[in-house]
Amino acid sequence: MEVEIKIPITDVQYQDFVKDAENRDELFGKCRRTDTYYSQYDSKEERLAHGEPLIRIRSEENYKGEVRDFLTYKIKQTINGVENNVERETEVADDITVIQELFENCGFKVWWSKDKKAVGEMVTIDGVSIHVLIVLLVKLLMINFIMLKQK
C-alpha cells in the first residue's frame, strides 16, 4: 500500500532544498523516472468510458546509476474531491522490451509519457518506507509512505 502526498513549494523552498541536496551524503540522491503509459484507446474519454485502468512502465535510475523497471496498473478515482489511486506494481527483473512488444502486439499504444528528475531521500522505519522527493522543474514536494511486504 502506498500513500502519496503532493505539496507545491515556493521558489525559495525549492532553491534551498536543491542547494542542501548538493551538500548531502549519498543517502540523499538524485533520481530519474521515465514513465510510459499505454492504452488501447485514442482519448482519455474513450479510455474512461471503457473502464480501462492506466497501464504504466516505469524505468527508474537512482543516484548510483542503477536502473530498475516496473510494470504498474492504476485505477484513479475521486472520492469526496480527493484523488484516490489504487496501484498494483511489480518489478520487472528481465528485459522490459518483451512487455513493450507484448503491449504493441495486443493493440496497445503509447498514450502518454513523462520524464521526472528529482532529488530525494528514502528511509525505512518499522516496515514503512518513507520517500521524500523534490521533483525538479515542477517544484513539487512528494512524500510517499509505502507499506513494505513483511517477509
Side-chain angles (χ1 to χ4, degrees):
M1 178 178 81
E2 175 179 322
V3 176
E4 181 175 270
I5 302 168
K6 298 178 182 177
I7 306 165
I9 58 175
T10 67
D11 288 343
V12 171
Q13 291 169 321
Y14 172 81
Q15 291 302 325
D16 286 347
F17 193 91
V18 171
K19 181 179 175 186
D20 186 48
E22 292 169 354
N23 297 319
R24 297 285 298 268
D25 62 17
E26 67 179 31
L27 175 67
F28 196 89
K30 297 176 182 177
C31 70
R32 179 182 188 142
R33 290 179 177 167
T34 302
D35 292 341
T36 304
Y37 292 86
Y38 291 83
S39 179
Q40 296 177 355
Y41 303 101
D42 293 321
S43 71
K44 180 179 180 178
E45 292 75 21
E46 252 186 309
R47 188 181 57 73
L48 293 174
H50 290 91
E52 181 183 71
L54 290 171
I55 300 170
R56 175 183 73 204
I57 291 178
R58 169 175 283 168
S59 182
E60 186 172 283
E61 181 178 357
N62 67 16
Y63 65 94
K64 295 178 183 177
E66 301 164 334
V67 177
R68 296 168 58 197
D69 296 311
F70 300 89
L71 175 63
T72 307
Y73 79 86
K74 184 188 297 193
I75 300 170
K76 286 187 164 211
Q77 300 173 318
T78 301
I79 300 172
N80 295 326
V82 177
E83 184 179 296
N84 181 30
N85 296 327
V86 175
E87 275 188 32
R88 300 286 293 162
E89 183 171 85
T90 189
E91 186 170 356
V92 179
D94 292 324
D95 187 0
I96 195 71
T97 60
V98 172
I99 294 173
Q100 293 165 328
E101 290 170 9
L102 173 70
F103 285 168
E104 289 172 19
N105 289 323
C106 291
F108 286 82
K109 46 196 165 274
V110 173
W111 181 60
W112 180 49
S113 63
K114 62 182 174 180
D115 196 27
K116 289 186 205 174
K117 294 178 184 172
V119 291
E121 185 167 4
M122 181 178 277
V123 63
T124 301
I125 303 168
D126 294 330
V128 178
S129 175
I130 303 168
H131 196 181
V132 179
L133 285 177
I134 295 288
V135 180
L136 305 179
L137 303 177
V138 294
K139 298 185 178 91
L140 189 66
L141 172 63
M142 291 175 50
I143 304 172
N144 294 67
F145 300 93
I146 305 167
M147 292 294 292
L148 302 176
K149 291 182 182 177
Q150 300 295 324
K151 294 185 179 181

PDB file of all heavy atoms in Angstrom, residues 39 41-52 111:
ATOM      1  N   SER A  39      -2.366   2.518 -23.736  1.00  0.00           N
ATOM      2  CA  SER A  39      -3.818   2.407 -23.842  1.00  0.00           C
ATOM      3  C   SER A  39      -4.188   1.775 -25.173  1.00  0.00           C
ATOM      4  O   SER A  39      -3.432   1.835 -26.134  1.00  0.00           O
ATOM      5  CB  SER A  39      -4.472   3.792 -23.744  1.00  0.00           C
ATOM      6  OG  SER A  39      -5.876   3.676 -23.864  1.00  0.00           O
ATOM      7  N   TYR A  41      -6.963   2.909 -26.471  1.00  0.00           N
ATOM      8  CA  TYR A  41      -7.860   3.951 -26.966  1.00  0.00           C
ATOM      9  C   TYR A  41      -7.082   5.215 -27.314  1.00  0.00           C
ATOM     10  O   TYR A  41      -5.969   5.424 -26.861  1.00  0.00           O
ATOM     11  CB  TYR A  41      -8.945   4.244 -25.923  1.00  0.00           C
ATOM     12  CG  TYR A  41      -9.721   2.992 -25.585  1.00  0.00           C
ATOM     13  CD1 TYR A  41      -9.459   2.287 -24.419  1.00  0.00           C
ATOM     14  CD2 TYR A  41     -10.684   2.490 -26.461  1.00  0.00           C
ATOM     15  CE1 TYR A  41     -10.144   1.119 -24.115  1.00  0.00           C
ATOM     16  CE2 TYR A  41     -11.369   1.329 -26.164  1.00  0.00           C
ATOM     17  CZ  TYR A  41     -11.100   0.637 -24.994  1.00  0.00           C
ATOM     18  OH  TYR A  41     -11.772  -0.518 -24.710  1.00  0.00           O
ATOM     19  N   ASP A  42      -7.717   6.080 -28.099  1.00  0.00           N
ATOM     20  CA  ASP A  42      -7.063   7.297 -28.579  1.00  0.00           C
ATOM     21  C   ASP A  42      -7.271   8.501 -27.669  1.00  0.00           C
ATOM     22  O   ASP A  42      -6.555   9.490 -27.782  1.00  0.00           O
ATOM     23  CB  ASP A  42      -7.550   7.633 -29.992  1.00  0.00           C
ATOM     24  CG  ASP A  42      -7.101   6.588 -31.002  1.00  0.00           C
ATOM     25  OD1 ASP A  42      -5.952   6.113 -30.884  1.00  0.00           O
ATOM     26  OD2 ASP A  42      -7.895   6.241 -31.892  1.00  0.00           O
ATOM     27  N   SER A  43      -8.260   8.448 -26.787  1.00  0.00           N
ATOM     28  CA  SER A  43      -8.533   9.609 -25.934  1.00  0.00           C
ATOM     29  C   SER A  43      -8.796   9.166 -24.502  1.00  0.00           C
ATOM     30  O   SER A  43      -9.170   8.014 -24.244  1.00  0.00           O
ATOM     31  CB  SER A  43      -9.743  10.389 -26.456  1.00  0.00           C
ATOM     32  OG  SER A  43     -10.931   9.647 -26.230  1.00  0.00           O
ATOM     33  N   LYS A  44      -8.634  10.109 -23.600  1.00  0.00           N
ATOM     34  CA  LYS A  44      -8.918   9.851 -22.190  1.00  0.00           C
ATOM     35  C   LYS A  44     -10.390   9.502 -21.997  1.00  0.00           C
ATOM     36  O   LYS A  44     -10.730   8.602 -21.236  1.00  0.00           O
ATOM     37  CB  LYS A  44      -8.550  11.088 -21.365  1.00  0.00           C
ATOM     38  CG  LYS A  44      -8.790  10.938 -19.885  1.00  0.00           C
ATOM     39  CD  LYS A  44      -8.374  12.201 -19.129  1.00  0.00           C
ATOM     40  CE  LYS A  44      -8.610  12.066 -17.645  1.00  0.00           C
ATOM     41  NZ  LYS A  44      -8.177  13.258 -16.922  1.00  0.00           N
ATOM     42  N   GLU A  45     -11.254  10.207 -22.713  1.00  0.00           N
ATOM     43  CA  GLU A  45     -12.691   9.966 -22.591  1.00  0.00           C
ATOM     44  C   GLU A  45     -13.049   8.534 -22.982  1.00  0.00           C
ATOM     45  O   GLU A  45     -13.829   7.863 -22.310  1.00  0.00           O
ATOM     46  CB  GLU A  45     -13.485  10.973 -23.451  1.00  0.00           C
ATOM     47  CG  GLU A  45     -13.415  12.409 -22.968  1.00  0.00           C
ATOM     48  CD  GLU A  45     -12.072  13.103 -23.257  1.00  0.00           C
ATOM     49  OE1 GLU A  45     -11.326  12.658 -24.160  1.00  0.00           O
ATOM     50  OE2 GLU A  45     -11.758  14.085 -22.559  1.00  0.00           O
ATOM     51  N   GLU A  46     -12.456   8.066 -24.102  1.00  0.00           N
ATOM     52  CA  GLU A  46     -12.697   6.690 -24.550  1.00  0.00           C
ATOM     53  C   GLU A  46     -12.193   5.681 -23.522  1.00  0.00           C
ATOM     54  O   GLU A  46     -12.861   4.701 -23.211  1.00  0.00           O
ATOM     55  CB  GLU A  46     -11.931   6.438 -25.861  1.00  0.00           C
ATOM     56  CG  GLU A  46     -12.779   6.329 -27.092  1.00  0.00           C
ATOM     57  CD  GLU A  46     -11.917   5.935 -28.284  1.00  0.00           C
ATOM     58  OE1 GLU A  46     -10.878   6.588 -28.523  1.00  0.00           O
ATOM     59  OE2 GLU A  46     -12.299   4.966 -28.960  1.00  0.00           O
ATOM     60  N   ARG A  47     -10.992   5.940 -23.009  1.00  0.00           N
ATOM     61  CA  ARG A  47     -10.400   5.039 -22.030  1.00  0.00           C
ATOM     62  C   ARG A  47     -11.267   4.942 -20.787  1.00  0.00           C
ATOM     63  O   ARG A  47     -11.551   3.852 -20.282  1.00  0.00           O
ATOM     64  CB  ARG A  47      -8.986   5.522 -21.665  1.00  0.00           C
ATOM     65  CG  ARG A  47      -8.208   4.543 -20.805  1.00  0.00           C
ATOM     66  CD  ARG A  47      -6.842   5.074 -20.452  1.00  0.00           C
ATOM     67  NE  ARG A  47      -6.867   6.353 -19.762  1.00  0.00           N
ATOM     68  CZ  ARG A  47      -7.238   6.534 -18.501  1.00  0.00           C
ATOM     69  NH1 ARG A  47      -7.641   5.530 -17.786  1.00  0.00           N
ATOM     70  NH2 ARG A  47      -7.215   7.731 -17.961  1.00  0.00           N
ATOM     71  N   LEU A  48     -11.738   6.094 -20.299  1.00  0.00           N
ATOM     72  CA  LEU A  48     -12.582   6.112 -19.110  1.00  0.00           C
ATOM     73  C   LEU A  48     -13.937   5.458 -19.365  1.00  0.00           C
ATOM     74  O   LEU A  48     -14.459   4.736 -18.511  1.00  0.00           O
ATOM     75  CB  LEU A  48     -12.764   7.548 -18.611  1.00  0.00           C
ATOM     76  CG  LEU A  48     -11.501   8.217 -18.057  1.00  0.00           C
ATOM     77  CD1 LEU A  48     -11.770   9.678 -17.731  1.00  0.00           C
ATOM     78  CD2 LEU A  48     -10.977   7.473 -16.842  1.00  0.00           C
ATOM     79  N   ALA A  49     -14.504   5.704 -20.546  1.00  0.00           N
ATOM     80  CA  ALA A  49     -15.804   5.115 -20.892  1.00  0.00           C
ATOM     81  C   ALA A  49     -15.745   3.590 -20.904  1.00  0.00           C
ATOM     82  O   ALA A  49     -16.730   2.922 -20.580  1.00  0.00           O
ATOM     83  CB  ALA A  49     -16.278   5.637 -22.246  1.00  0.00           C
ATOM     84  N   HIS A  50     -14.613   3.035 -21.269  1.00  0.00           N
ATOM     85  CA  HIS A  50     -14.454   1.583 -21.316  1.00  0.00           C
ATOM     86  C   HIS A  50     -13.868   1.009 -20.027  1.00  0.00           C
ATOM     87  O   HIS A  50     -13.654  -0.193 -19.925  1.00  0.00           O
ATOM     88  CB  HIS A  50     -13.583   1.182 -22.512  1.00  0.00           C
ATOM     89  CG  HIS A  50     -14.271   1.387 -23.817  1.00  0.00           C
ATOM     90  ND1 HIS A  50     -14.166   2.560 -24.532  1.00  0.00           N
ATOM     91  CD2 HIS A  50     -15.086   0.576 -24.519  1.00  0.00           C
ATOM     92  CE1 HIS A  50     -14.887   2.461 -25.628  1.00  0.00           C
ATOM     93  NE2 HIS A  50     -15.457   1.270 -25.652  1.00  0.00           N
ATOM     94  N   GLY A  51     -13.609   1.879 -19.050  1.00  0.00           N
ATOM     95  CA  GLY A  51     -13.110   1.419 -17.752  1.00  0.00           C
ATOM     96  C   GLY A  51     -11.688   0.886 -17.770  1.00  0.00           C
ATOM     97  O   GLY A  51     -11.306   0.108 -16.896  1.00  0.00           O
ATOM     98  N   GLU A  52     -10.898   1.320 -18.757  1.00  0.00           N
ATOM     99  CA  GLU A  52      -9.522   0.840 -18.841  1.00  0.00           C
ATOM    100  C   GLU A  52      -8.666   1.506 -17.766  1.00  0.00           C
ATOM    101  O   GLU A  52      -8.634   2.731 -17.661  1.00  0.00           O
ATOM    102  CB  GLU A  52      -8.946   1.143 -20.227  1.00  0.00           C
ATOM    103  CG  GLU A  52      -7.520   0.647 -20.398  1.00  0.00           C
ATOM    104  CD  GLU A  52      -6.939   1.020 -21.750  1.00  0.00           C
ATOM    105  OE1 GLU A  52      -6.656   2.221 -21.958  1.00  0.00           O
ATOM    106  OE2 GLU A  52      -6.779   0.121 -22.575  1.00  0.00           O
ATOM    107  N   TRP A 111       0.331   6.082 -24.921  1.00  0.00           N
ATOM    108  CA  TRP A 111      -0.709   7.088 -24.769  1.00  0.00           C
ATOM    109  C   TRP A 111      -0.107   8.396 -24.269  1.00  0.00           C
ATOM    110  O   TRP A 111      -0.510   9.474 -24.645  1.00  0.00           O
ATOM    111  CB  TRP A 111      -1.760   6.542 -23.795  1.00  0.00           C
ATOM    112  CG  TRP A 111      -2.912   7.443 -23.541  1.00  0.00           C
ATOM    113  CD1 TRP A 111      -3.802   7.926 -24.445  1.00  0.00           C
ATOM    114  CD2 TRP A 111      -3.313   7.969 -22.278  1.00  0.00           C
ATOM    115  NE1 TRP A 111      -4.721   8.727 -23.823  1.00  0.00           N
ATOM    116  CE2 TRP A 111      -4.441   8.766 -22.488  1.00  0.00           C
ATOM    117  CE3 TRP A 111      -2.817   7.830 -20.982  1.00  0.00           C
ATOM    118  CZ2 TRP A 111      -5.088   9.428 -21.460  1.00  0.00           C
ATOM    119  CZ3 TRP A 111      -3.461   8.490 -19.961  1.00  0.00           C
ATOM    120  CH2 TRP A 111      -4.595   9.284 -20.220  1.00  0.00           C
TER     121      TRP A 111
END
